[in-house]
Amino acid sequence: MIVRMWRGWVASERAGEYVDYVTRTGLAGYRQTPGNLGVEMWTRDLGDGRAEVTTLSWWESLDHIRGFAGDDIGRAVFYPEDDGYLIDRETTVTHHEVARRLG
């Protein structure tokens, strides 16, 4: 199992709006892609007017991630309205093999 992780930053007061938007776009895209095993979106208020947003998605394999992200799986996928929300963003993602999962 592979975990794909991405981070971005939005204005704190818009964090809820951004979560709703990404739920309709990116998270829906993850869930519709064969081989996706789930997704979570985390937010954290940094106390300086920004909120950090992290998405984590679980996949059966790197090949399944290609079904969502295309051939360059290290590049983040963005949607048209992201620019209206994001103050800053990582343009790359990280992938990790799940060594152990309990629960």
Side-chain angles (χ1 to χ4, degrees), residues 17-38:
E17 285 177 64
Y18 188 62
V19 168
D20 291 343
Y21 166 70
V22 173
T23 299
R24 292 188 314 273
T25 57
L27 302 190
Y30 285 149
R31 296 299 295 149
Q32 293 169 4
T33 305
N36 178 264
L37 301 172

Side-chain angles (χ1 to χ4, degrees), residues 18-97:
Y18 188 62
V19 168
D20 291 343
Y21 166 70
V22 173
T23 299
R24 292 188 314 273
T25 57
L27 302 190
Y30 285 149
R31 296 299 295 149
Q32 293 169 4
T33 305
N36 178 264
L37 301 172
V39 61
E40 291 184 6
M41 188 172 190
W42 302 347
T43 62
R44 153 174 99 117
D45 193 317
L46 299 176
D48 62 0
R50 297 177 307 144
E52 181 179 76
V53 178
T54 303
T55 61
L56 292 149
S57 55
W58 287 265
W59 300 87
E60 290 180 16
S61 70
L62 293 174
D63 284 334
H64 286 102
I65 294 171
R66 283 184 188 88
F68 170 75
D71 287 334
D72 187 357
I73 63 170
R75 189 184 59 172
V77 174
F78 295 103
Y79 293 84
E81 294 178 39
D82 283 332
D83 289 341
Y85 291 100
L86 292 166
I87 296 169
D88 197 6
R89 69 186 89 187
E90 292 179 342
T91 57
T92 59
V93 299
T94 57
H95 296 98
H96 305 268
E97 288 190 33

